[in-house]
Amino acid sequence: MGVSADRLHERHYGAGRAASAAAEAIDFDEYIRRVTALCESCSDDRLASRVGREVRRLMAADDWLPDECRAAGTDTYRRHVLYADPRGRFTVLSVVWRPGQGTPVHGHTAWGAVGVYSGTPSVANYRLVCDGAVELACEAVCAPGDVTCVQPGIDYPHRVYNASDDVAITVHTYGRDLIADPASINIELQERLVGGPSGPIKITNRA
């Protein structure tokens, strides 16, 4: 999963904010209708933020994700395709993270918007430094309902991981057809040393 990009916001909701979000909640079918309409009316550089607003409304809905799309993998995080636009303009995935599972540092091949469905996954943003290496810029623990957007390219490398003791689930919408190969959304970096919270760590790319 690729969850960070231009900036990372950790959002805290009070009772009033939560009530407002619930009032704006939409179901999955309505979400697909709205994203389809946005793909027909918005330029690509605006889609991530516009779709992100709809992701927030979807995350405010109660218990809509099918059980089969909450199944976790054993060795690594697991992706489930929830919807693929017939014209190949976007794909919606759920990604399930067991404790300790995470991505390598990566970028994306298309715009995207990601919401936290359940659990508390963490996101680490990196900055590019000399000789193509990266160093840690910031980290944050996300909460259910949090949303972030990504733009294509490797200018904002990041990784997502589950440092908690519970399973986390995130929902991703990416601006390309991923039905045949969901992993193709990631731009992989070569294996390298990066600065982590406890010093340098080795990142080895996997899908």
Side-chain angles (χ1 to χ4, degrees), residues 73-96:
T74 54
D75 297 331
T76 187
Y77 62 95
R78 185 174 178 184
R79 301 178 178 92
H80 302 273
V81 176
L82 303 180
Y83 179 83
D85 174 56
R87 293 173 57 184
R89 294 170 297 182
F90 67 95
T91 307
V92 185
L93 313 169
S94 65
V95 182
V96 186

Side-chain angles (χ1 to χ4, degrees), residues 33-107:
R33 284 192 288 270
R34 293 187 180 203
V35 175
T36 300
L38 287 171
C39 287
E40 292 171 350
S41 62
C42 292
S43 58
D44 283 353
D45 60 342
R46 300 173 64 192
L47 277 170
S49 60
R50 293 291 184 90
V51 172
R53 297 174 191 172
E54 304 306 328
V55 172
R56 188 174 307 285
R57 296 183 176 100
L58 180 63
M59 294 302 100
D62 291 331
D63 199 28
W64 56 268
L65 188 64
D67 288 344
E68 61 269 22
C69 297
R70 307 184 192 198
T74 54
D75 297 331
T76 187
Y77 62 95
R78 185 174 178 184
R79 301 178 178 92
H80 302 273
V81 176
L82 303 180
Y83 179 83
D85 174 56
R87 293 173 57 184
R89 294 170 297 182
F90 67 95
T91 307
V92 185
L93 313 169
S94 65
V95 182
V96 186
W97 315 80
R98 287 186 186 273
Q101 292 179 344
T103 70
V105 179
H106 65 281

Side-chain angles (χ1 to χ4, degrees), residues 7 16 24 27-28 32 36 41 46 48 72 81 112 123 141 169 178 192:
R7 55 189 179 276
E24 296 178 355
D27 64 20
F28 188 72
I32 296 302
T36 300
S41 62
R46 300 173 64 192
V81 176
V123 178
V141 178
I169 302 176
L178 299 173
R192 65 193 64 200

